Amino acid sequence: MNWWLLCKQLSHSILTGLSLSLHGYLLSFSLTAFMEVIATHPLNFHVHSHLQHRINPLFNPNFRIRLSPIRSKSINDSVSVSSVAYKPGLLDDVFLQLFRNKMVQEVGWDSEKPGYDGLIEVARRIMRNGQNNVQVKQSVVRILRSLFPPFLLELFQLLIAPIAGGKLAAMMIARVTTLTCQWLMGRCTINSIELPDGSSCSSGVLVERCKYLEESRCAGICINTCKLPTQTFIKEYMGTPLLMEPNLSDYSCQFKFGVPAPPPENDEVLKAPCLDICPEASGQKRRKNENANPTPTQCPKT
């Protein structure tokens, strides 16, 4: 079976129908990430026995996949943080407007402010409209789902997510994240992380200084409209575990695709005090009065 010919034919068929739409751009990025992973991580193609019943119509029953070891910068290695801010391009503006439109459709309200400032105001409205944090998370998951054609998510789960124990899917999503989400988060890079089985994989994404957290100034917005819904969406609709570790001190964030998120009661980020500049936490402090020895206040929105 000529795997490269099959990939080429599949890519051409998909992109011919969708190249003029934003979904076409998303598929292009996904295929670009797939080809990058294949080029830098040699694969021996055979199909694991537990997948044979799913893909027998396409592949020989003896087809099997094994991912070779990789060499990549470890998450623990020193990271050189660029002082140059990420400058959005034309396509980034398209992504911003699309994402904002989906948020507006979900919440039924839009801000008068243009661009990114308006997007942050819509995120705050989503937080206020939800009766609890679970409803807020569900709203954002619906927004994320609406960004993708349904068949794409289903095919990804069926054909890509099971390959090599999920490593290929994790690396692909990491690369698509860096290609399509820097307008939202700021500059980010791929790094190597440790998976639960002790192996390393270049499926991490390090956000140097998250623009979304910095502009929202609120741990509750970060956690409930980004961290928790994104973890849920990637796991439930793309079949890949994800742990996001925002640092509320320096505004960095580590994405770990392929690493399951802990239960909420064991997630230390959910217990952390909010930012000093958080408008919600600041208001709570004022209502509690001035203390002789003030203690950090957990954001009421978390």
Side-chain angles (χ1 to χ4, degrees):
M1 183 68 184
N2 191 323
W3 174 257
W4 292 108
L5 179 59
L6 177 63
C7 286
K8 182 178 179 181
Q9 292 174 341
L10 178 61
S11 303
H12 182 268
S13 298
I14 293 175
L15 295 178
T16 298
L18 296 174
S19 60
L20 298 181
S21 68
L22 187 58
H23 288 154
Y25 285 116
L26 292 172
L27 286 170
S28 299
F29 286 132
S30 299
L31 290 168
T32 299
F34 177 76
M35 292 306 181
E36 179 185 344
V37 171
I38 294 297
T40 57
H41 302 79
L43 297 173
N44 296 322
F45 289 96
H46 300 282
V47 175
H48 290 292
S49 58
H50 70 279
L51 295 177
Q52 290 179 8
H53 69 285
R54 291 184 176 181
I55 52 179
N56 267 339
L58 295 177
F59 299 97
N60 185 289
N62 294 322
F63 208 69
R64 186 174 297 275
I65 289 182
R66 185 177 298 111
L67 191 63
S68 68
I70 62 172
R71 296 187 63 185
S72 180
K73 175 176 282 190
S74 168
I75 186 175
N76 295 318
D77 293 343
S78 60
V79 179
S80 176
V81 178
S82 172
S83 60
V84 181
Y86 177 75
K87 296 181 179 180
L90 178 60
L91 189 56
D92 294 299
D93 294 336
V94 173
F95 278 122
L96 188 155
Q97 192 59 50
L98 171 73
F99 191 69
R100 178 171 172 170
N101 288 343
K102 296 294 185 180
M103 294 171 69
V104 169
Q105 292 173 19
E106 174 67 27
V107 77
W109 177 86
D110 197 3
S111 167
E112 294 181 355
K113 293 183 178 180
Y116 202 95
D117 290 340
L119 181 142
I120 293 297
E121 285 205 344
V122 178
R124 293 188 187 280
R125 178 60 66 94
I126 292 176
M127 285 285 293
R128 289 196 293 268
N129 281 12
Q131 294 182 2
N132 52 56
N133 291 339
V134 173
Q135 287 190 359
V136 173
K137 182 181 75 172
Q138 292 171 344
S139 293
V140 179
V141 169
R142 286 194 294 269
I143 293 170
L144 294 175
R145 285 184 61 192
S146 69
L147 294 171
F148 296 84
F151 74 87
L152 179 62
L153 297 176
E154 294 172 0
L155 287 177
F156 190 91
Q157 284 199 73
L158 180 67
L159 299 178
I160 304 299
I163 294 176
K167 287 186 177 181
L168 179 62
M171 289 188 289
M172 283 184 62
I173 300 173
R175 282 151 180 78
V176 170
T177 299
T178 61
L179 286 169
T180 62
C181 295
Q182 293 195 61
W183 67 268
L184 177 64
M185 305 181 299
R187 190 175 299 278
C188 55
T189 55
I190 298 289
N191 63 358
S192 181
I193 61 170
E194 183 176 340
L195 299 180
D197 62 4
S199 63
S200 63
C201 182
S202 61
S203 59
V205 174
L206 178 64
V207 182
E208 296 175 0
R209 187 176 179 87
C210 181
K211 181 178 180 180
Y212 189 69
L213 175 58
E214 188 171 17
E215 295 293 332
S216 67
R217 302 179 296 162
C218 178
I221 289 181
C222 164
I223 290 169
N224 294 302
T225 69
C226 185
K227 171 181 162 64
L228 295 180
T230 303
Q231 289 177 169
T232 298
F233 171 75
I234 297 295
K235 178 65 174 67
E236 295 185 0
Y237 295 98
M238 302 192 78
T240 302
L242 168 62
L243 172 61
M244 292 172 61
E245 297 176 329
N247 186 318
L248 302 181
S249 298
D250 64 9
Y251 298 174
S252 66
C253 185
Q254 176 66 54
F255 286 64
K256 296 182 177 180
F257 295 99
V259 176
E265 60 270 18
N266 296 333
D267 195 332
E268 293 301 320
V269 175
L270 304 186
K271 306 173 186 177
C274 197
L275 308 177
D276 291 336
I277 58 175
C278 172
E280 297 289 344
S282 298
Q284 188 184 62
K285 285 180 181 178
R286 287 194 297 270
R287 289 190 294 270
K288 282 187 173 181
N289 231 329
E290 296 293 332
N291 295 326
N293 296 302
T295 56
T297 303
Q298 182 178 7
C299 179
K301 292 298 184 181
T302 60

